[in-house]
PDB file of all heavy atoms in Angstrom:
ATOM      1  N   SER A   1       1.383  -5.075 -14.262  1.00 74.00           N
ATOM      2  CA  SER A   1       1.951  -5.713 -13.083  1.00 74.00           C
ATOM      3  C   SER A   1       1.899  -4.800 -11.856  1.00 74.00           C
ATOM      4  O   SER A   1       2.202  -5.257 -10.751  1.00 74.00           O
ATOM      5  CB  SER A   1       3.397  -6.113 -13.353  1.00 74.00           C
ATOM      6  OG  SER A   1       4.207  -4.977 -13.589  1.00 74.00           O
ATOM      7  N   LEU A   2       1.508  -3.553 -11.977  1.00 77.00           N
ATOM      8  CA  LEU A   2       1.452  -2.642 -10.833  1.00 77.00           C
ATOM      9  C   LEU A   2       0.215  -2.937 -10.007  1.00 77.00           C
ATOM     10  O   LEU A   2      -0.878  -3.161 -10.535  1.00 77.00           O
ATOM     11  CB  LEU A   2       1.421  -1.193 -11.316  1.00 77.00           C
ATOM     12  CG  LEU A   2       2.674  -0.667 -12.002  1.00 77.00           C
ATOM     13  CD1 LEU A   2       2.400   0.718 -12.568  1.00 77.00           C
ATOM     14  CD2 LEU A   2       3.845  -0.653 -11.055  1.00 77.00           C
ATOM     15  N   PRO A   3       0.327  -2.847  -8.664  1.00 83.00           N
ATOM     16  CA  PRO A   3      -0.858  -2.975  -7.815  1.00 83.00           C
ATOM     17  C   PRO A   3      -1.751  -1.777  -8.000  1.00 83.00           C
ATOM     18  O   PRO A   3      -1.303  -0.654  -8.323  1.00 83.00           O
ATOM     19  CB  PRO A   3      -0.278  -3.032  -6.397  1.00 83.00           C
ATOM     20  CG  PRO A   3       1.047  -2.408  -6.486  1.00 83.00           C
ATOM     21  CD  PRO A   3       1.551  -2.600  -7.912  1.00 83.00           C
ATOM     22  N   ASN A   4      -3.024  -1.942  -7.738  1.00 88.00           N
ATOM     23  CA  ASN A   4      -3.999  -0.869  -7.868  1.00 88.00           C
ATOM     24  C   ASN A   4      -3.773   0.094  -6.708  1.00 88.00           C
ATOM     25  O   ASN A   4      -4.035  -0.248  -5.554  1.00 88.00           O
ATOM     26  CB  ASN A   4      -5.415  -1.431  -7.846  1.00 88.00           C
ATOM     27  CG  ASN A   4      -6.469  -0.359  -7.852  1.00 88.00           C
ATOM     28  OD1 ASN A   4      -6.164   0.830  -7.958  1.00 88.00           O
ATOM     29  ND2 ASN A   4      -7.706  -0.763  -7.740  1.00 88.00           N
ATOM     30  N   PRO A   5      -3.331   1.332  -6.968  1.00 89.00           N
ATOM     31  CA  PRO A   5      -3.090   2.269  -5.861  1.00 89.00           C
ATOM     32  C   PRO A   5      -4.366   2.717  -5.187  1.00 89.00           C
ATOM     33  O   PRO A   5      -4.323   3.210  -4.057  1.00 89.00           O
ATOM     34  CB  PRO A   5      -2.372   3.443  -6.545  1.00 89.00           C
ATOM     35  CG  PRO A   5      -2.724   3.337  -7.974  1.00 89.00           C
ATOM     36  CD  PRO A   5      -2.990   1.890  -8.249  1.00 89.00           C
ATOM     37  N   GLU A   6      -5.514   2.507  -5.806  1.00 91.00           N
ATOM     38  CA  GLU A   6      -6.789   2.910  -5.229  1.00 91.00           C
ATOM     39  C   GLU A   6      -7.453   1.805  -4.412  1.00 91.00           C
ATOM     40  O   GLU A   6      -8.562   2.003  -3.913  1.00 91.00           O
ATOM     41  CB  GLU A   6      -7.758   3.378  -6.341  1.00 91.00           C
ATOM     42  CG  GLU A   6      -7.328   4.629  -7.038  1.00 91.00           C
ATOM     43  CD  GLU A   6      -7.675   5.912  -6.250  1.00 91.00           C
ATOM     44  OE1 GLU A   6      -8.168   5.814  -5.132  1.00 91.00           O
ATOM     45  OE2 GLU A   6      -7.448   6.987  -6.799  1.00 91.00           O
ATOM     46  N   ARG A   7      -6.804   0.660  -4.259  1.00 92.00           N
ATOM     47  CA  ARG A   7      -7.412  -0.418  -3.487  1.00 92.00           C
ATOM     48  C   ARG A   7      -7.594   0.043  -2.039  1.00 92.00           C
ATOM     49  O   ARG A   7      -6.840   0.880  -1.532  1.00 92.00           O
ATOM     50  CB  ARG A   7      -6.613  -1.704  -3.570  1.00 92.00           C
ATOM     51  CG  ARG A   7      -5.251  -1.665  -2.911  1.00 92.00           C
ATOM     52  CD  ARG A   7      -4.427  -2.888  -3.280  1.00 92.00           C
ATOM     53  NE  ARG A   7      -3.181  -2.928  -2.542  1.00 92.00           N
ATOM     54  CZ  ARG A   7      -2.094  -2.270  -2.838  1.00 92.00           C
ATOM     55  NH1 ARG A   7      -2.058  -1.458  -3.877  1.00 92.00           N
ATOM     56  NH2 ARG A   7      -1.006  -2.402  -2.134  1.00 92.00           N
ATOM     57  N   PRO A   8      -8.551  -0.505  -1.335  1.00 93.00           N
ATOM     58  CA  PRO A   8      -8.830  -0.060   0.032  1.00 93.00           C
ATOM     59  C   PRO A   8      -7.632  -0.358   0.969  1.00 93.00           C
ATOM     60  O   PRO A   8      -6.863  -1.308   0.759  1.00 93.00           O
ATOM     61  CB  PRO A   8     -10.029  -0.919   0.456  1.00 93.00           C
ATOM     62  CG  PRO A   8     -10.617  -1.443  -0.779  1.00 93.00           C
ATOM     63  CD  PRO A   8      -9.524  -1.501  -1.811  1.00 93.00           C
ATOM     64  N   PHE A   9      -7.506   0.455   1.969  1.00 94.00           N
ATOM     65  CA  PHE A   9      -6.480   0.246   3.007  1.00 94.00           C
ATOM     66  C   PHE A   9      -7.042  -0.756   4.019  1.00 94.00           C
ATOM     67  O   PHE A   9      -7.869  -0.418   4.843  1.00 94.00           O
ATOM     68  CB  PHE A   9      -6.119   1.566   3.705  1.00 94.00           C
ATOM     69  CG  PHE A   9      -5.368   2.497   2.797  1.00 94.00           C
ATOM     70  CD1 PHE A   9      -6.021   3.529   2.140  1.00 94.00           C
ATOM     71  CD2 PHE A   9      -4.003   2.348   2.611  1.00 94.00           C
ATOM     72  CE1 PHE A   9      -5.344   4.383   1.293  1.00 94.00           C
ATOM     73  CE2 PHE A   9      -3.305   3.222   1.763  1.00 94.00           C
ATOM     74  CZ  PHE A   9      -3.985   4.227   1.113  1.00 94.00           C
ATOM     75  N   GLN A  10      -6.640  -2.003   3.884  1.00 95.00           N
ATOM     76  CA  GLN A  10      -7.144  -3.075   4.737  1.00 95.00           C
ATOM     77  C   GLN A  10      -6.054  -3.809   5.493  1.00 95.00           C
ATOM     78  O   GLN A  10      -6.306  -4.870   6.048  1.00 95.00           O
ATOM     79  CB  GLN A  10      -7.940  -4.072   3.905  1.00 95.00           C
ATOM     80  CG  GLN A  10      -9.139  -3.455   3.224  1.00 95.00           C
ATOM     81  CD  GLN A  10      -9.898  -4.444   2.348  1.00 95.00           C
ATOM     82  OE1 GLN A  10      -9.363  -5.442   1.904  1.00 95.00           O
ATOM     83  NE2 GLN A  10     -11.162  -4.142   2.115  1.00 95.00           N
ATOM     84  N   GLU A  11      -4.858  -3.255   5.513  1.00 96.00           N
ATOM     85  CA  GLU A  11      -3.748  -3.948   6.163  1.00 96.00           C
ATOM     86  C   GLU A  11      -4.055  -4.091   7.658  1.00 96.00           C
ATOM     87  O   GLU A  11      -4.541  -3.147   8.271  1.00 96.00           O
ATOM     88  CB  GLU A  11      -2.448  -3.180   5.948  1.00 96.00           C
ATOM     89  CG  GLU A  11      -1.971  -3.188   4.507  1.00 96.00           C
ATOM     90  CD  GLU A  11      -2.783  -2.324   3.564  1.00 96.00           C
ATOM     91  OE1 GLU A  11      -3.489  -1.390   4.034  1.00 96.00           O
ATOM     92  OE2 GLU A  11      -2.755  -2.580   2.367  1.00 96.00           O
ATOM     93  N   LYS A  12      -3.759  -5.262   8.206  1.00 96.00           N
ATOM     94  CA  LYS A  12      -4.094  -5.567   9.605  1.00 96.00           C
ATOM     95  C   LYS A  12      -2.885  -5.551  10.522  1.00 96.00           C
ATOM     96  O   LYS A  12      -3.026  -5.535  11.721  1.00 96.00           O
ATOM     97  CB  LYS A  12      -4.746  -6.945   9.690  1.00 96.00           C
ATOM     98  CG  LYS A  12      -5.996  -7.098   8.843  1.00 96.00           C
ATOM     99  CD  LYS A  12      -7.129  -6.329   9.400  1.00 96.00           C
ATOM    100  CE  LYS A  12      -8.395  -6.661   8.617  1.00 96.00           C
ATOM    101  NZ  LYS A  12      -9.258  -5.518   8.392  1.00 96.00           N
ATOM    102  N   THR A  13      -1.665  -5.586   9.938  1.00 97.00           N
ATOM    103  CA  THR A  13      -0.447  -5.570  10.768  1.00 97.00           C
ATOM    104  C   THR A  13       0.376  -4.334  10.437  1.00 97.00           C
ATOM    105  O   THR A  13       0.253  -3.758   9.346  1.00 97.00           O
ATOM    106  CB  THR A  13       0.406  -6.812  10.523  1.00 97.00           C
ATOM    107  OG1 THR A  13       0.942  -6.754   9.187  1.00 97.00           O
ATOM    108  CG2 THR A  13      -0.361  -8.115  10.718  1.00 97.00           C
ATOM    109  N   CYS A  14       1.185  -3.930  11.398  1.00 97.00           N
ATOM    110  CA  CYS A  14       2.039  -2.774  11.194  1.00 97.00           C
ATOM    111  C   CYS A  14       2.988  -3.002  10.018  1.00 97.00           C
ATOM    112  O   CYS A  14       3.183  -2.127   9.198  1.00 97.00           O
ATOM    113  CB  CYS A  14       2.805  -2.444  12.464  1.00 97.00           C
ATOM    114  SG  CYS A  14       3.784  -0.936  12.357  1.00 97.00           S
ATOM    115  N   ASP A  15       3.540  -4.214   9.929  1.00 97.00           N
ATOM    116  CA  ASP A  15       4.493  -4.486   8.849  1.00 97.00           C
ATOM    117  C   ASP A  15       3.810  -4.341   7.481  1.00 97.00           C
ATOM    118  O   ASP A  15       4.389  -3.741   6.561  1.00 97.00           O
ATOM    119  CB  ASP A  15       5.074  -5.900   8.988  1.00 97.00           C
ATOM    120  CG  ASP A  15       6.050  -6.009  10.153  1.00 97.00           C
ATOM    121  OD1 ASP A  15       6.615  -4.946  10.582  1.00 97.00           O
ATOM    122  OD2 ASP A  15       6.273  -7.106  10.623  1.00 97.00           O
ATOM    123  N   SER A  16       2.603  -4.865   7.336  1.00 97.00           N
ATOM    124  CA  SER A  16       1.922  -4.762   6.030  1.00 97.00           C
ATOM    125  C   SER A  16       1.494  -3.314   5.762  1.00 97.00           C
ATOM    126  O   SER A  16       1.568  -2.828   4.625  1.00 97.00           O
ATOM    127  CB  SER A  16       0.722  -5.704   5.964  1.00 97.00           C
ATOM    128  OG  SER A  16      -0.232  -5.370   6.924  1.00 97.00           O
ATOM    129  N   ALA A  17       1.115  -2.573   6.807  1.00 97.00           N
ATOM    130  CA  ALA A  17       0.753  -1.159   6.634  1.00 97.00           C
ATOM    131  C   ALA A  17       1.990  -0.350   6.241  1.00 97.00           C
ATOM    132  O   ALA A  17       1.883   0.575   5.431  1.00 97.00           O
ATOM    133  CB  ALA A  17       0.122  -0.626   7.907  1.00 97.00           C
ATOM    134  N   MET A  18       3.134  -0.699   6.803  1.00 97.00           N
ATOM    135  CA  MET A  18       4.356   0.014   6.451  1.00 97.00           C
ATOM    136  C   MET A  18       4.780  -0.264   4.995  1.00 97.00           C
ATOM    137  O   MET A  18       5.235   0.629   4.307  1.00 97.00           O
ATOM    138  CB  MET A  18       5.487  -0.356   7.416  1.00 97.00           C
ATOM    139  CG  MET A  18       5.271   0.167   8.838  1.00 97.00           C
ATOM    140  SD  MET A  18       5.139   1.976   8.891  1.00 97.00           S
ATOM    141  CE  MET A  18       6.769   2.438   8.398  1.00 97.00           C
ATOM    142  N   ARG A  19       4.574  -1.504   4.550  1.00 96.00           N
ATOM    143  CA  ARG A  19       4.855  -1.818   3.126  1.00 96.00           C
ATOM    144  C   ARG A  19       3.943  -0.999   2.222  1.00 96.00           C
ATOM    145  O   ARG A  19       4.392  -0.445   1.209  1.00 96.00           O
ATOM    146  CB  ARG A  19       4.698  -3.310   2.859  1.00 96.00           C
ATOM    147  CG  ARG A  19       5.891  -4.156   3.326  1.00 96.00           C
ATOM    148  CD  ARG A  19       5.819  -5.565   2.798  1.00 96.00           C
ATOM    149  NE  ARG A  19       4.665  -6.278   3.303  1.00 96.00           N
ATOM    150  CZ  ARG A  19       4.598  -6.929   4.467  1.00 96.00           C
ATOM    151  NH1 ARG A  19       5.635  -6.934   5.268  1.00 96.00           N
ATOM    152  NH2 ARG A  19       3.478  -7.556   4.815  1.00 96.00           N
ATOM    153  N   ARG A  20       2.695  -0.914   2.591  1.00 96.00           N
ATOM    154  CA  ARG A  20       1.711  -0.129   1.782  1.00 96.00           C
ATOM    155  C   ARG A  20       2.078   1.364   1.818  1.00 96.00           C
ATOM    156  O   ARG A  20       1.981   2.053   0.805  1.00 96.00           O
ATOM    157  CB  ARG A  20       0.300  -0.375   2.334  1.00 96.00           C
ATOM    158  CG  ARG A  20      -0.778   0.377   1.600  1.00 96.00           C
ATOM    159  CD  ARG A  20      -1.043  -0.231   0.213  1.00 96.00           C
ATOM    160  NE  ARG A  20      -2.011   0.518  -0.541  1.00 96.00           N
ATOM    161  CZ  ARG A  20      -3.345   0.362  -0.457  1.00 96.00           C
ATOM    162  NH1 ARG A  20      -3.851  -0.560   0.321  1.00 96.00           N
ATOM    163  NH2 ARG A  20      -4.137   1.109  -1.158  1.00 96.00           N
ATOM    164  N   LEU A  21       2.512   1.834   2.950  1.00 97.00           N
ATOM    165  CA  LEU A  21       2.934   3.236   3.070  1.00 97.00           C
ATOM    166  C   LEU A  21       4.149   3.516   2.154  1.00 97.00           C
ATOM    167  O   LEU A  21       4.186   4.511   1.463  1.00 97.00           O
ATOM    168  CB  LEU A  21       3.263   3.593   4.498  1.00 97.00           C
ATOM    169  CG  LEU A  21       3.841   4.984   4.785  1.00 97.00           C
ATOM    170  CD1 LEU A  21       2.910   6.070   4.269  1.00 97.00           C
ATOM    171  CD2 LEU A  21       4.133   5.162   6.255  1.00 97.00           C
ATOM    172  N   LYS A  22       5.096   2.602   2.164  1.00 96.00           N
ATOM    173  CA  LYS A  22       6.270   2.746   1.299  1.00 96.00           C
ATOM    174  C   LYS A  22       5.855   2.790  -0.145  1.00 96.00           C
ATOM    175  O   LYS A  22       6.348   3.616  -0.948  1.00 96.00           O
ATOM    176  CB  LYS A  22       7.262   1.591   1.564  1.00 96.00           C
ATOM    177  CG  LYS A  22       8.523   1.680   0.750  1.00 96.00           C
ATOM    178  CD  LYS A  22       9.457   0.535   1.091  1.00 96.00           C
ATOM    179  CE  LYS A  22      10.708   0.596   0.210  1.00 96.00           C
ATOM    180  NZ  LYS A  22      11.590  -0.544   0.471  1.00 96.00           N
ATOM    181  N   GLU A  23       4.951   1.914  -0.540  1.00 95.00           N
ATOM    182  CA  GLU A  23       4.419   1.884  -1.904  1.00 95.00           C
ATOM    183  C   GLU A  23       3.738   3.204  -2.248  1.00 95.00           C
ATOM    184  O   GLU A  23       3.951   3.785  -3.317  1.00 95.00           O
ATOM    185  CB  GLU A  23       3.425   0.735  -2.022  1.00 95.00           C
ATOM    186  CG  GLU A  23       2.702   0.658  -3.324  1.00 95.00           C
ATOM    187  CD  GLU A  23       1.578  -0.356  -3.268  1.00 95.00           C
ATOM    188  OE1 GLU A  23       1.801  -1.488  -2.804  1.00 95.00           O
ATOM    189  OE2 GLU A  23       0.445  -0.014  -3.694  1.00 95.00           O
ATOM    190  N   ALA A  24       2.898   3.721  -1.326  1.00 96.00           N
ATOM    191  CA  ALA A  24       2.171   4.965  -1.577  1.00 96.00           C
ATOM    192  C   ALA A  24       3.120   6.144  -1.674  1.00 96.00           C
ATOM    193  O   ALA A  24       2.931   7.038  -2.493  1.00 96.00           O
ATOM    194  CB  ALA A  24       1.137   5.186  -0.462  1.00 96.00           C
ATOM    195  N   ARG A  25       4.148   6.173  -0.840  1.00 96.00           N
ATOM    196  CA  ARG A  25       5.111   7.266  -0.876  1.00 96.00           C
ATOM    197  C   ARG A  25       5.876   7.259  -2.199  1.00 96.00           C
ATOM    198  O   ARG A  25       6.284   8.335  -2.681  1.00 96.00           O
ATOM    199  CB  ARG A  25       6.083   7.182   0.292  1.00 96.00           C
ATOM    200  CG  ARG A  25       5.465   7.628   1.590  1.00 96.00           C
ATOM    201  CD  ARG A  25       6.457   7.497   2.716  1.00 96.00           C
ATOM    202  NE  ARG A  25       5.913   7.990   3.983  1.00 96.00           N
ATOM    203  CZ  ARG A  25       6.487   7.773   5.157  1.00 96.00           C
ATOM    204  NH1 ARG A  25       7.622   7.110   5.239  1.00 96.00           N
ATOM    205  NH2 ARG A  25       5.927   8.253   6.275  1.00 96.00           N
ATOM    206  N   ALA A  26       6.117   6.079  -2.764  1.00 95.00           N
ATOM    207  CA  ALA A  26       6.838   5.996  -4.045  1.00 95.00           C
ATOM    208  C   ALA A  26       5.958   6.520  -5.171  1.00 95.00           C
ATOM    209  O   ALA A  26       6.481   6.945  -6.214  1.00 95.00           O
ATOM    210  CB  ALA A  26       7.251   4.563  -4.309  1.00 95.00           C
ATOM    211  N   GLY A  27       4.653   6.470  -4.996  1.00 94.00           N
ATOM    212  CA  GLY A  27       3.738   6.963  -6.027  1.00 94.00           C
ATOM    213  C   GLY A  27       3.494   5.923  -7.100  1.00 94.00           C
ATOM    214  O   GLY A  27       4.185   4.899  -7.154  1.00 94.00           O
ATOM    215  N   SER A  28       2.551   6.193  -7.954  1.00 92.00           N
ATOM    216  CA  SER A  28       2.188   5.297  -9.040  1.00 92.00           C
ATOM    217  C   SER A  28       2.129   6.077 -10.334  1.00 92.00           C
ATOM    218  O   SER A  28       1.536   7.156 -10.364  1.00 92.00           O
ATOM    219  CB  SER A  28       0.840   4.643  -8.770  1.00 92.00           C
ATOM    220  OG  SER A  28       0.386   3.967  -9.907  1.00 92.00           O
ATOM    221  N   PRO A  29       2.697   5.547 -11.397  1.00 90.00           N
ATOM    222  CA  PRO A  29       2.605   6.197 -12.702  1.00 90.00           C
ATOM    223  C   PRO A  29       1.169   6.190 -13.224  1.00 90.00           C
ATOM    224  O   PRO A  29       0.858   6.898 -14.181  1.00 90.00           O
ATOM    225  CB  PRO A  29       3.542   5.403 -13.597  1.00 90.00           C
ATOM    226  CG  PRO A  29       3.643   4.070 -12.968  1.00 90.00           C
ATOM    227  CD  PRO A  29       3.500   4.289 -11.475  1.00 90.00           C
TER     228      PRO A  29
END
């Protein structure tokens, strides 16, 4: 159920980029 942390950075809005940043900062097992 985890998103692929290696997927390309394609976010087009600041809000979506911030969600992705939060996810990346949390790290992935």
